[in-house]
């Protein structure tokens, strides 16, 4: 099963359909998404003034950046480790 993130256009459509009094199941069918996806989107990205697509997209991007797989070890730390290990031949001996 493949998963794709909601786009900003889909979030805008969700906002418009909610204002037109469509329920979550109807929105899911119209967008070709599972109803749990719509439910989760509305729950996670609701602000004080309800669901707004621009704000929802901003929230989602912030969450995505917060958990992005970045370097786990700082560059300075790698430099220190490499200097302590010495040449690459010595490193190969340690690895084996």
């Amino acid at each position: 099963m493949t998963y794709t993130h909601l786009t900003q256009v889909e979030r805008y459509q969700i906002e418009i359909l909610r204002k037109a009094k469509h329920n979550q199941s109807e929105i899911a069918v119209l967008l070709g998404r599972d109803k749990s996806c719509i439910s989760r989107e509305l729950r996670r990205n609701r602000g004080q003034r309800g669901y707004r697509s621009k704000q929802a997209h901003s929230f989602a991007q912030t969450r995505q950046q917060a958990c992005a797989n970045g370097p786990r070890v700082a560059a300075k730390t790698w430099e220190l480790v490499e200097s302590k290990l010495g040449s690459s031949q010595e490193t190969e001996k340690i690895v084996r």
Side-chain angles (χ1 to χ4, degrees):
M1 181 165 130
T2 60
Y3 174 79
T4 57
H5 296 282
L6 289 172
T7 64
Q8 192 166 9
V9 171
E10 288 175 312
R11 288 188 171 98
Y12 179 71
Q13 290 172 334
I14 292 170
E15 179 182 10
I16 297 302
L17 291 168
R18 288 294 290 174
K19 287 181 180 178
K21 305 294 185 201
H22 288 274
N23 65 34
Q24 293 176 13
S25 295
E26 293 169 341
I27 294 170
V29 170
L30 290 169
L31 295 181
R33 295 285 189 155
D34 194 86
K35 62 183 177 181
S36 65
C37 175
I38 304 303
S39 173
R40 190 178 313 114
E41 174 69 12
L42 293 170
R43 185 179 66 245
R44 285 181 179 169
N45 297 313
R46 185 173 295 139
Q48 290 180 340
R49 294 173 36 190
Y51 183 84
R52 294 184 299 157
S53 60
K54 188 174 181 181
Q55 181 181 19
H57 193 68
S58 176
F59 286 163
Q61 284 184 321
T62 301
R63 275 195 312 277
Q64 189 175 14
Q65 290 170 354
C67 70
N69 288 331
R72 300 194 196 295
V73 179
K76 288 184 178 181
T77 305
W78 273 120
E79 290 173 14
L80 176 64
V81 169
E82 288 174 346
S83 70
K84 297 289 183 181
L85 286 175
S87 72
S88 61
Q89 290 175 352
E90 292 175 22
T91 307
E92 283 296 319
K93 291 178 187 175
I94 293 170
V95 172
R96 291 180 188 178

